[in-house]
Amino acid sequence: MSLVLFGVGGSVTAFGKELQSNAIRFHNAPAWLTERRLEKLTDRIQNVLEWDVRRIEATWHTDQREFETLHGFGPAVLAFARRADHSVHVGPRVDSSNFDETFGHELIHVILFQKYKDAIPRWLEEGLANYAAKAAKVDYAWLAKRAPFPDVRLMIHPFKAISAPEGKGAEGWRFHYVASQALIEMIASKCRLHELLQLSVGKKLETYLQTYCRIQDINVEFGKWVSKKAKVQPSALLRSP
Ligand SMILES: [Zn+2]
């Protein structure tokens, strides 16, 4: 699931195009989206995660109400991937300027379903999707202000949890995405992420955090990492995306 907490400008565009790339059949695509752009984006994501996406259906939804009814998680959701059939759904607030980042994020969810099944813990999934989709940078100064942190391993789903340890509403969602991406950056600083992901195919990634990445206590290390990064983060990065 991809979320934005800041407004995205939209412009008038025509929809209804059917696109067919190697991996994706895209329904109701906007006029500006091309098969070439879809191929390029898919190739980049596939290379990062070393996986050829098995044929998926993607649909562009132009009616916000219908889109929200479909996912049931409220107005903040931009796009989502459905685990049941590996389909991707793009909402009306996505446009050419945020398409690659948003659709790339959802494609990563599909690859995580297809390649890793349940090997990647839920608390790392959104962060990995943002990290590999080259989404916005982690705002460590913002994150550091949320300390002391809840047990990060209890972050199950940014929208589903009623008593989410990360807090309720927009603040809780943001914490989930930002903390999850920061966790991926921390792990990548301690061991090779690529190798870690390879080790995790068919197994649980969590078991390798101790043995391969030498992270004894994820929560202790996370607290140290955030306060260290918050100190060195230049103020220019504090802008919201
Ligand atoms: Zn997501």
Side-chain angles (χ1 to χ4, degrees):
M1 190 151 317
S2 196
L3 167 90
V4 76
L5 293 161
F6 310 97
V8 177
S11 55
V12 179
T13 185
F15 289 86
K17 217 158 94 169
E18 295 285 313
L19 297 176
Q20 178 69 63
S21 71
N22 284 337
I24 303 157
R25 187 199 299 272
F26 214 123
H27 307 281
N28 197 36
W32 51 262
L33 186 59
T34 61
E35 278 155 2
R36 192 179 143 74
R37 180 163 172 179
L38 218 44
E39 287 293 357
K40 219 175 124 187
L41 175 63
T42 310
D43 282 352
R44 182 168 67 73
I45 300 290
Q46 291 185 148
N47 286 340
V48 174
L49 292 175
E50 294 186 332
W51 181 257
D52 288 334
V53 173
R54 291 190 214 119
R55 184 137 300 190
I56 61 165
E57 307 276 328
T59 305
W60 203 295
H61 300 272
T62 48
D63 183 309
Q64 180 66 23
R65 187 179 293 223
E66 175 228 283
F67 180 62
E68 283 182 36
T69 304
L70 196 64
H71 61 67
F73 294 117
V77 172
L78 281 180
F80 68 97
R82 192 154 55 193
R83 199 180 179 106
D85 60 1
H86 299 183
S87 61
V88 174
H89 300 266
V90 178
R93 288 184 302 126
V94 177
D95 59 23
S96 184
S97 69
N98 62 356
F99 176 76
D100 287 14
E101 183 181 305
T102 308
F103 193 73
H105 177 108
E106 301 311 330
L107 262 187
I108 292 161
H109 279 305
V110 171
I111 294 179
L112 296 182
F113 304 154
Q114 292 185 347
K115 179 174 179 180
Y116 296 96
K117 314 276 190 301
D118 290 316
I120 312 288
R122 290 295 169 92
W123 51 272
L124 277 180
E125 192 172 325
E126 294 302 335
L128 183 58
N130 271 353
Y131 182 83
K134 295 185 181 165
K137 286 195 164 28
V138 172
D139 186 341
Y140 281 102
W142 180 87
L143 192 54
K145 289 197 199 104
R146 266 84 207 149
F149 304 123
D151 183 342
V152 293
R153 293 164 306 176
L154 300 178
M155 300 195 303
I156 303 299
H157 188 291
F159 295 94
K160 269 185 195 153
I162 291 165
S163 55
E166 56 269 52
K168 289 178 189 169
E171 184 90 344
W173 304 336
R174 187 175 179 199
F175 180 82
H176 183 114
Y177 283 86
V178 175
S180 187
Q181 193 177 345
L183 282 157
I184 286 287
E185 290 186 4
M186 179 188 91
I187 291 166
S189 78
K190 294 183 184 293
C191 53
R192 290 168 192 269
L193 193 58
H194 178 259
E195 308 292 327
L196 176 65
L197 289 171
Q198 285 308 110
L199 285 168
S200 305
V201 177
K203 305 189 186 82
K204 295 280 181 198
L205 179 143
E206 265 174 294
T207 57
Y208 295 101
L209 290 177
Q210 282 198 0
T211 54
Y212 179 64
C213 303
R214 311 237 169 261
I215 297 170
Q216 297 307 320
D217 184 321
I218 191 87
N219 287 303
V220 170
E221 290 300 323
F222 183 61
K224 283 196 239 166
W225 170 258
V226 172
S227 69
K228 186 179 99 182
K229 294 291 280 184
K231 281 182 197 126
V232 298
Q233 185 178 35
S235 57
L237 287 178
L238 298 184
R239 279 184 295 111
S240 296

